[in-house]
């Protein structure tokens, strides 16, 4: 069922999707594993504003990723840019962090129960 990834791209074998966060328009673009196996490569530019993607500057989603793990990867990416995750700045108060985390999990549950895909997650180009 799992198509091998093209060699030479330095991607984890259990890759699920590659997520790019555009520097310019702040668009989030998710490319599923199928995109990579079908095109044999990675996208080079933002589909919204045509800004070239920085290939190191992305989040690789793998099968082992939990929701929290993925959020942590995104946070790291934005921290590297010296920024907080958009729409969810990291507060200093641990109670506030907990509250946000509960809120995030509740949203995730609602999405799962509703049988809808997470907004912004789409496979393919
Ligand atoms: Zn863009």
């Amino acid at each position: 069922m799992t198509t091998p990834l093209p060699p030479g791209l330095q991607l984890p074998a259990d890759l699920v999707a590659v997520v790019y966060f555009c520097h310019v328009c702040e668009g989030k673009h998710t490319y599923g594993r199928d995109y990579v196996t079908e095109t044999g490569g990675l996208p080079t530019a933002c589909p919204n504003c045509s800004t070239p993607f920085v290939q190191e500057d992305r989040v690789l989603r793998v099968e082992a990723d939990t929701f929290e793990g993925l959020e942590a990867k995104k946070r790291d990416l934005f921290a590297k840019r010296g920024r907080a995750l958009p729409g969810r700045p990291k507060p200093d108060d641990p109670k506030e962090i907990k509250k946000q985390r509960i809120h995030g999990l509740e949203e995730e549950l609602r999405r799962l129960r509703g049988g809808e895909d997470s907004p912004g997650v789409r496979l393919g180009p």
Side-chain angles (χ1 to χ4, degrees), residues 22 24-27 29 46 48-51:
C22 180
V24 176
C25 71
E26 312 222 324
H29 306 289
C46 174
N48 285 349
C49 67
S50 305
T51 304

Side-chain angles (χ1 to χ4, degrees), residues 94-111:
K95 275 188 196 156
E96 187 58 30
I97 295 174
K98 195 175 164 193
K99 213 172 88 187
Q100 285 192 3
R101 193 155 167 243
I102 291 169
H103 180 72
L105 289 171
E106 280 171 352
E107 282 190 339
E108 180 74 0
L109 264 179
R110 218 179 356 258
R111 278 197 296 269

Side-chain angles (χ1 to χ4, degrees), residues 6-82:
L9 291 179
Q10 313 274 324
L11 294 169
D14 61 343
L15 181 82
V16 174
V18 186
V19 188
Y20 292 90
F21 295 87
C22 180
H23 291 262
V24 176
C25 71
E26 312 222 324
K28 178 190 173 194
H29 306 289
T30 304
Y31 297 86
R33 186 188 180 92
D34 286 351
Y35 177 93
V36 182
T37 54
E38 279 165 23
T39 64
L42 289 163
T44 55
C46 174
N48 285 349
C49 67
S50 305
T51 304
F53 283 138
V54 180
Q55 293 298 334
E56 297 76 45
D57 202 6
R58 65 191 174 194
V59 171
L60 298 175
R61 184 174 162 199
V62 296
E63 275 169 28
D65 273 332
T66 58
F67 177 73
E68 289 89 353
L70 210 53
E71 288 295 304
K73 284 186 186 181
K74 282 190 242 171
R75 254 197 316 274
D76 288 349
L77 177 71
F78 280 86
K80 253 194 326 195
R81 294 182 185 177

